[in-house]
Amino acid sequence: MFSWRITKYNPENRDEGGSYLDDKEWTCFSEVGTKVSEEEYLRTETDYINVITSFMEEMGLNKVYLNDLEIWSDEVVSQNSASFLQKMWTGKAVTLQEIRELAKLTLRNVIWCKLSYKKEFFVHFGYDYYMYIGAMKDCPSARKKIQATGLYVENVDSPY
């Protein structure tokens, strides 16, 4: 299986052990208005969400399964997501629209989830805007689209 780490962090700013060295980067939705503008945040969030759909398109997938779901935050109410989350459960087949909402809520630290399709494809979310994608095929078109947005695609196995 191919596996990639998708981030907004330039790999040139990593030390030999892989730690990111630029402490000026924003890492969380809670930093909107302090370290990042709402406009930049929303653009980046959209780019991350589009990563998932780009890989799914290249894999020929129109759904995945919700493998893990944890609600981490009281932000469910402020994000108006309570009714949506009541319709989600581990093992549920989720549509592209539901995937977009799950990814948004995960990136905003409201929930944490893992998505996959059989043993052919997965999406794992890490802390600080790290996302991992795995696929049974290389997906060069998806990777090229992602790099065009300014996000970085690195060959890294998911720690999740």
Side-chain angles (χ1 to χ4, degrees):
M1 176 166 290
F2 295 88
S3 184
W4 303 275
R5 176 173 62 197
I6 313 298
T7 69
K8 61 186 196 72
Y9 309 114
N10 187 335
E12 293 179 5
N13 295 329
R14 295 188 185 281
D15 66 16
E16 293 172 3
S19 295
Y20 198 71
L21 302 174
D22 184 355
D23 62 355
K24 293 179 184 139
E25 286 276 359
W26 61 270
T27 60
C28 184
F29 178 71
S30 65
E31 295 174 307
V32 172
T34 57
K35 285 183 104 174
V36 62
S37 69
E38 182 177 5
E39 180 182 351
E40 181 183 344
Y41 175 84
L42 291 173
R43 183 177 51 251
T44 304
E45 178 183 83
T46 299
D47 288 344
Y48 270 73
I49 293 168
N50 289 340
V51 163
I52 299 168
T53 57
S54 292
F55 273 98
M56 287 181 65
E57 286 171 12
E58 192 156 347
M59 291 290 297
L61 300 174
N62 61 7
K63 69 177 178 184
V64 295
Y65 294 93
L66 182 58
N67 288 345
D68 286 307
L69 175 63
E70 297 175 13
I71 298 174
W72 280 3
S73 167
D74 295 332
E75 295 295 317
V76 169
V77 173
S78 68
Q79 292 291 323
N80 298 316
S81 56
S83 63
F84 171 77
L85 290 172
Q86 288 175 348
K87 300 172 190 166
M88 296 295 119
W89 64 85
T90 301
K92 180 183 186 329
V94 289
T95 64
L96 286 171
Q97 187 59 37
E98 291 169 326
I99 292 163
R100 295 181 80 75
E101 186 67 15
L102 288 166
K104 178 185 90 170
L105 293 172
T106 302
L107 293 167
R108 293 183 181 190
N109 294 323
V110 175
I111 66 168
W112 177 80
C113 70
K114 288 168 71 173
L115 307 168
S116 71
Y117 184 80
K118 301 181 182 180
K119 294 185 184 245
E120 297 175 28
F121 177 77
F122 69 78
V123 179
H124 298 163
F125 296 92
Y127 295 102
D128 298 339
Y129 255 71
Y130 282 79
M131 186 168 67
Y132 300 86
I133 302 275
M136 287 303 292
K137 66 181 198 177
D138 190 17
C139 300
S141 295
R143 290 187 291 113
K144 188 174 182 177
K145 280 185 198 176
I146 294 159
Q147 289 169 330
T149 69
L151 296 179
Y152 298 92
V153 180
E154 302 168 88
N155 294 323
V156 176
D157 290 335
S158 171
Y160 302 97

